[in-house]
Amino acid sequence: MTNKLFGTDGVRGKANSFPMNVDFALDLARVLSGFACNEKKRIAIAKDTRISGDMLESALCSGFMENGIDVVLLGVVPTPLVTLFTKNLDVDLAIMITASHNPYFDNGFKLINSKGDKFDDDFYRIVEEKIENKEFNKNKDNNIGKCIKNEDVVEEYISKIRDIAPNYKALSGLRVVLDCANGSYFYILPQIFKDLGAGVISINNEPNGYNINENCGSQHTDELAKTVVESKADFGIAVDGDGDRIILVDNDGKVIDGDQLLCFLANYMKKQGTLDNNIVVSTEWSNLGLNEYLSKNGFKYFKSKVGERYVIDLMREKDAVLGGELVGHIVLSKHARSGDAAVTAVVIALAYLDEKKKMSEIFPLFNPYPCVIENIRFSDKEFMLESVEHDDVKEALIKAKLELGDDSNLIARKSGTEPVIKLRVEGKDAKLVEEIATRLKGLIEKYKK
């Protein structure tokens, strides 16, 4: 059974509309109170900077506290802080209120278990069923939960990331531009780099509730690239609204994606003796050039399904310490439990200084295969789910794969967070790749309705 609401990274939607409204937040808290808060009777809640965060936080608090569950409020912090510190907060679970890289008018709930990991599909399926059936916890004792603010966790997080560097001046001489996406890292990321001695130019670090991810951050790098070039910085870093993804811009303003970053980090960690088993994990969405590069350079490479959660699962299965996705979720598991832009940024900076070359001289590490990616948006999730199940679409996908031949990649993926079919066509022949992508996109769009 496919979950209707929860995808690979929780639930998202337009704020103040179902399911991202007060009623759903209350119902979610009431269900979780009885279903998932049975041991500690305590939960942590965090949020990013979007305007709807306070509203949804208040609704969640009400739903938990009316059922005798204590709530620890972490305030505005990045998702990787929550995944890293949940196990130390003596809670049953944590909720991060965020829609990640989406615009301000969206929001979402990421649910994190007591160990700091995302929940699986079965957990979400049960939660959905209980919400739909109004199976709420019965607070027979009529206890009321307390609300507790934790104001220490941010400094603990900053201190832990500073400790990745060999000393507090390890980044002296570095000049870097940081695009904070007007999100959760708006003061945390610049503080970390300043503490380590870097010269920092911060942009998009003045959130107002409405400007999170607005023409900035990991999805919009034009301003970052321009600032890097004009300021003659060594490189630029862009994060997304909740800080679990990172994009690098070199000294010439060129964007370096997650696949290239994985190769760069793999080389550095291998040299430092910290890449356990010489293993790198990515997803089936990564460029085929990544596989070629890693294989030729003595690394072991494994691919998971698309989604950070699946990357982490495969990393644990293979005893890997480095994994990530093309879009910039980079997991360095010796320092973080999930994609962590601050951790990754510091390690990138250390690796850069170790190379003693300009970023533009380091990248690209491999030449990617010709690839076309199309995000085909639907008005409704149900239409999206049905679109690639039609016989003509299935047959066209099979035919296209045969046309592309060996050393190719064809994926028509249902997004786990929004009503979008993500189409990826990759192969050796750029013209053929373009033709097939155009043809398949047109066919799938027939079913948008």
Side-chain angles (χ1 to χ4, degrees):
M1 174 180 161
T2 302
N3 293 338
K4 295 178 181 178
L5 299 175
F6 288 90
T8 54
D9 206 14
V11 58
R12 289 185 201 171
K14 188 174 182 179
N16 222 20
S17 299
F18 181 83
M20 295 313 305
N21 57 14
V22 168
D23 288 341
F24 180 83
L26 277 167
D27 287 353
L28 176 63
R30 288 162 174 162
V31 164
L32 292 174
S33 294
F35 171 55
C37 297
N38 295 315
E39 186 177 345
K40 307 290 186 180
K41 300 287 185 181
R42 179 175 157 111
I43 184 172
I45 299 176
K47 59 189 175 185
D48 66 20
T49 59
R50 62 195 77 219
I51 189 69
S52 57
D54 291 347
M55 173 187 74
L56 295 171
E57 177 187 69
S58 297
L60 288 172
C61 285
S62 297
F64 284 114
M65 293 168 66
E66 73 174 11
N67 285 291
I69 306 300
D70 293 339
V71 177
V72 180
L73 293 180
L74 302 180
V76 173
V77 296
T79 295
L81 179 152
V82 182
T83 60
L84 186 64
F85 283 103
T86 293
K87 63 180 182 288
N88 300 330
L89 295 173
D90 196 35
V91 296
D92 291 299
L93 71 146
I95 298 178
M96 179 69 192
I97 305 171
T98 180
S100 192
H101 59 278
N102 289 26
Y104 86 90
F105 48 75
D106 290 336
N107 218 326
F109 298 134
K110 293 183 178 183
L111 275 56
I112 298 158
N113 69 24
S114 59
K115 296 179 181 179
D117 298 325
K118 307 286 178 65
F119 285 99
D120 60 22
D121 293 331
D122 287 340
F123 177 88
Y124 288 135
R125 177 182 53 78
I126 295 170
V127 170
E128 282 194 22
E129 289 178 354
K130 288 182 176 293
I131 290 174
E132 187 175 353
N133 297 327
K134 301 291 184 182
E135 295 180 28
F136 301 142
N137 182 47
K138 304 297 183 183
N139 187 3
K140 297 178 181 178
D141 298 327
N142 205 31
N143 296 328
I144 298 175
K146 300 187 296 292
C147 184
I148 307 153
K149 290 186 178 180
N150 184 321
E151 298 178 347
D152 300 324
V153 69
V154 171
E155 186 52 45
E156 291 177 35
Y157 177 71
I158 291 173
S159 177
K160 190 172 182 65
I161 295 179
R162 284 195 307 243
D163 288 344
I164 295 172
N167 58 71
Y168 276 12
K169 296 302 175 184
L171 302 186
S172 295
L174 184 69
R175 185 174 174 81
V176 61
V177 181
L178 303 176
D179 183 343
C180 303
N182 292 313
S184 300
Y185 270 135
F186 73 97
Y187 73 95
I188 294 175
L189 188 61
Q191 186 64 55
I192 291 168
F193 271 76
K194 289 175 183 176
D195 288 349
L196 292 173
V200 175
I201 300 168
S202 300
I203 61 175
N204 300 306
N205 62 327
E206 298 181 357
N208 61 17
Y210 300 94
N211 59 2
I212 184 170
N213 301 315
E214 184 181 20
N215 298 318
C216 62
S218 61
Q219 307 304 104
H220 309 281
T221 55
D222 288 350
E223 183 185 356
L224 175 63
K226 181 181 178 183
T227 307
V228 167
V229 173
E230 289 180 347
S231 63
K232 294 181 169 49
D234 294 297
F235 58 86
I237 292 289
V239 301
D240 65 340
D242 73 325
D244 62 359
R245 70 169 71 188
I246 182 172
I247 293 294
L248 174 69
V249 170
D250 73 13
N251 51 293
D252 289 335
K254 184 178 180 180
V255 174
I256 311 299
D257 65 33
D259 285 350
Q260 296 282 349
L261 283 181
L262 280 175
C263 293
F264 180 57
L265 293 169
N267 286 331
Y268 174 69
M269 294 170 68
K270 184 178 181 182
K271 182 179 178 181
Q272 297 293 314
T274 58
L275 186 66
D276 295 358
N277 307 308
N278 280 343
I279 293 175
V280 179
V281 173
S282 185
T283 75
E284 60 187 5
W285 203 257
S286 283
N287 194 277
L288 294 170
L290 173 66
N291 187 7
E292 283 189 355
Y293 178 87
L294 292 174
S295 299
K296 288 178 181 176
N297 288 278
F299 297 97
K300 300 172 185 175
Y301 176 52
F302 298 94
K303 291 192 290 187
S304 74
K305 293 193 297 183
V306 175
E308 182 193 72
R309 192 175 87 205
Y310 303 117
V311 171
I312 293 171
D313 287 345
L314 188 57
M315 286 175 67
R316 290 174 181 164
E317 178 185 328
K318 301 297 182 182
D319 292 324
V321 295
L322 173 62
E325 295 190 274
L326 175 69
V327 295
H329 292 124
I330 305 294
V331 183
L332 293 158
S333 63
K334 288 187 176 180
H335 306 295
R337 292 196 69 86
S338 61
D340 188 317
V343 166
T344 305
V346 169
V347 177
I348 287 171
L350 293 171
Y352 167 76
L353 292 173
D354 185 68
E355 282 282 341
K356 298 180 174 61
K357 295 179 182 177
K358 293 181 178 179
M359 278 295 191
S360 58
E361 296 171 343
I362 297 171
F363 294 102
L365 288 168
F366 67 87
N367 294 317
Y369 277 46
C371 179
V372 174
I373 297 174
E374 297 282 0
N375 292 316
I376 307 169
R377 184 169 294 276
F378 289 73
S379 60
D380 182 89
K381 185 176 180 180
E382 292 301 318
F383 293 151
M384 179 271 288
L385 293 173
E386 294 170 359
S387 65
V388 291
E389 300 301 327
H390 295 282
D391 289 341
D392 57 343
V393 175
K394 289 182 177 180
E395 291 170 6
L397 289 169
I398 293 171
K399 180 182 177 182
K401 178 60 178 173
L402 292 173
E403 286 182 77
L404 287 167
D406 296 333
D407 296 323
S408 66
N409 196 5
L410 176 60
I411 303 172
R413 173 180 168 261
K414 305 166 186 174
S415 172
T417 57
E418 52 188 339
V420 170
I421 292 294
K422 294 179 175 290
L423 176 66
R424 179 184 182 89
V425 184
E426 181 181 359
K428 291 183 175 180
D429 186 330
K431 184 178 179 181
L432 179 61
V433 165
E434 187 72 43
E435 290 174 354
I436 289 175
T438 300
R439 184 198 317 156
L440 291 175
K441 180 184 179 183
L443 181 59
I444 294 170
E445 283 184 331
K446 286 199 321 181
Y447 297 101
K448 289 179 74 170
K449 298 183 182 179

